[in-house]
Amino acid sequence: MVNQFPTHQIITELHRLAGGSISEQAVSIPLEKLFKGKDIDLVISKVESFSVDNKEVKLANGSTLSYDALVVALGSQTGFFGIPGLEENSMVLKSVNDANKIYKHIEDRIREYSQTNNEADATIVIGGGGLTGVELIGEIVDHFPKIAKKFGVDFKDLKIKLVEAGPKILPVLPDHLIERAMTSLEARGVEFLTGLPVTGVKGNQIELKDGQTITANTLVWTGGVAALPIVGESGLEVDRGKATVNEYLQSKSHKDVFVVGDSAVAFPPEGGRPYAPTAQNAWQMGELVGYNLYAAFEGKKLEEFSPVNSGTLASLGRKDAVATVGANNTSLKGLPATLMKEASNVRYLSHIKALFSLAY
C-alpha cells in the first residue's frame, strides 16, 4: 500500500476541520493503526508516475516498485478550468493540510480586520456550490462568529459569499431542498451569487461574468474536479484523463490493473452517464476490487460492479442539513438529516474499524 500521507483522510468531513468544529484526529486516521495485525507493507511516499507497460510504479522517495497486479486509487485534483489567476490566488480543500490552512487563514483575516477595518479582510468567497462548497460555508457561518467575538468583531460585518456558475446550488438535490438549504444559510449571513461564473482572479480581485468584481482576501475554490495527469500518462486507456474500466473495474486496456474512485470512469451496463465520483461509489468500488483481485489470482469468477445508491447528504453547519436517502429518495431536512449525516460517517468509521476517531 503506497500513500502520500501516513493517514487515511476522511475527505467528506474536511469541511468540519476547515470550519474549526472538529480536531484533526477525527478526520485523519493513522494507516498503521488501521492495518495493525494485517500482512500489509505500508510505504509512505507520493506516486510520481507509473507505467502499465513496464509494470513499474515510481515513487518520490526515489524507489521503483514492480507488480503482478496494480490497483489505482489516486483520486482526483481540483479543477480550475483554465480560469486566469484562479489557481494562483485561491485555496482548495482536498487534504487535512488544506483544511488547517483555510481555518488559520480565515482566523488571521478576522484578526487583521479587527485592527484595520479593511473590508477585503472581512470578505470570504467560496467558489462552487456543490456539496463541498455548501458544507464548508455552513461550518464557517456556524463556527466563526465565536472567532469574530474573540477579536471584538461583529460577525455581521463579515461578507460571506458563495459564487456558483450554474443556475442553482446542490444540483444533485430536488428544488425544495435546495431552497431549504439557501434559506437556512441566508438566515446566517450567506449571500448566494448563482448563474455567475468566475472569469478571472487578479490578486484579491475576483471577476464575475456579469462584469462585477468582488474584492476578497479569502477565496476557497471548490468548483470542480479534474483527472490527475499521471493516470493519463501511465499508458492506460483513458477517457478525458480518467481510466476506462470494464464491469469488473479492470482497465479496458490492461487486465492486470484495477482502477477505483475518481481515477476511473465507470459506466452502468445500460450505458448513459458514468457513475458519479462520490465517496459512496468509491467505497463500493474498493470493496469489489478487493474481492476481484482475490478471484483473479484464484481463477474464480469476477463480480460485476453494481453500486447501491444510499442517497445524498449535505450538512449546513452543526445543527442543520438536507438529504435524500434510500432507493426512493426520501427527503429529510433539519435534525433528521443532520443525524443521518452523522450516522453515515459513523457507519463508514465502523466499517474500517476506526470508531476510535470519534473520541476527537
Side-chain angles (χ1 to χ4, degrees):
M1 162 72 84
V2 180
N3 199 50
Q4 64 174 319
F5 305 116
T7 52
H8 174 56
Q9 304 190 356
I10 314 284
I11 305 294
T12 51
E13 294 290 303
L14 287 180
H15 59 281
R16 294 186 61 187
L17 184 58
S21 64
I22 48 171
S23 69
E24 187 174 316
Q25 295 98 310
V27 292
S28 183
I29 302 158
L31 289 167
E32 290 274 5
K33 204 165 176 178
L34 292 179
F35 294 153
K36 197 174 175 191
K38 293 185 168 59
D39 188 13
I40 296 169
D41 292 328
L42 187 58
V43 180
I44 306 305
S45 186
K46 193 168 183 177
V47 176
E48 296 269 281
S49 66
F50 63 101
S51 165
V52 291
D53 295 323
N54 298 336
K55 293 197 173 195
E56 284 184 342
V57 180
K58 287 191 164 53
L59 306 183
N61 65 12
S63 64
T64 300
L65 302 175
S66 57
Y67 64 82
D68 297 303
L70 178 69
V71 179
V72 179
L74 290 166
S76 56
Q77 61 186 8
T78 302
F80 297 99
F81 310 115
I83 298 167
L86 178 57
E87 187 171 355
E88 301 78 12
N89 295 295
S90 65
M91 292 177 287
V92 298
L93 184 56
K94 288 293 258 186
S95 70
V96 163
N97 292 346
D98 293 339
N100 286 331
K101 185 178 165 189
I102 289 167
Y103 179 82
K104 185 176 184 317
H105 177 89
I106 297 176
E107 186 179 45
D108 288 347
R109 296 280 58 82
I110 295 174
R111 182 192 290 112
E112 191 71 15
Y113 177 71
S114 72
Q115 292 160 2
T116 63
N117 277 352
N118 176 3
E119 203 162 286
D121 283 324
T123 307
I124 297 167
V125 177
I126 308 298
L131 280 170
T132 307
V134 170
E135 293 193 319
L136 174 59
I137 216 162
E139 295 297 325
I140 289 170
V141 294
D142 255 17
H143 187 73
F144 275 96
K146 294 179 199 136
I147 305 297
K149 191 174 181 184
K150 186 171 84 175
F151 294 119
V153 170
D154 184 346
F155 187 71
K156 293 189 177 69
D157 288 350
L158 301 188
K159 295 182 170 58
I160 299 170
K161 303 170 188 280
L162 187 145
V163 179
E164 164 57 41
K168 52 192 177 186
I169 65 163
L170 300 174
V172 289
L173 291 175
D175 285 352
H176 71 278
L177 289 181
I178 294 172
E179 283 163 29
R180 172 69 168 67
M182 288 180 75
T183 304
S184 168
L185 291 167
E186 281 168 347
R188 285 176 276 160
V190 176
E191 180 190 354
F192 289 97
L193 300 160
T194 52
L196 285 173
V198 172
T199 53
V201 186
K202 292 173 187 156
N204 67 355
Q205 308 280 311
I206 304 156
E207 298 160 358
L208 304 184
K209 195 175 182 186
D210 64 351
Q212 72 170 298
T213 298
I214 303 168
T215 305
N217 284 344
T218 302
L219 169 59
V220 183
W221 180 253
T222 67
V225 294
L228 285 173
I230 65 168
V231 175
E233 293 157 3
S234 67
L236 287 173
E237 179 191 297
V238 294
D239 178 3
R240 294 179 203 169
K242 290 187 170 193
T244 53
V245 293
N246 64 16
E247 65 273 32
Y248 311 116
L249 302 179
Q250 285 168 308
S251 160
K252 284 191 172 175
S253 58
H254 294 75
K255 293 289 178 280
D256 55 352
V257 180
F258 291 84
V259 193
V260 297
D262 286 10
S263 296
V265 57
F267 287 89
E270 66 276 10
R273 293 177 64 80
Y275 292 115
T278 59
Q280 59 179 316
N281 282 343
W283 171 357
Q284 293 176 77
M285 288 170 129
E287 296 231 302
L288 182 80
V289 165
Y291 175 77
N292 280 349
L293 266 174
Y294 155 78
F297 279 119
E298 295 287 326
K300 296 187 183 327
K301 188 175 182 300
L302 272 61
E303 290 192 357
E304 295 183 9
F305 184 55
S306 178
V308 175
N309 179 16
S310 307
T312 302
L313 305 161
S315 67
L316 307 168
R318 290 299 78 219
K319 297 189 182 70
D320 202 5
V322 287
T324 56
V325 295
N328 54 357
N329 280 336
T330 304
S331 293
L332 298 176
K333 55 194 176 190
L335 186 61
T338 298
L339 294 173
M340 189 61 80
K341 171 84 179 171
E342 286 296 320
S344 165
N345 189 39
V346 170
R347 178 173 160 240
Y348 177 67
L349 292 173
S350 161
H351 193 73
I352 62 169
K353 304 196 168 37
L355 283 173
F356 57 85
S357 68
L358 291 172
Y360 305 100

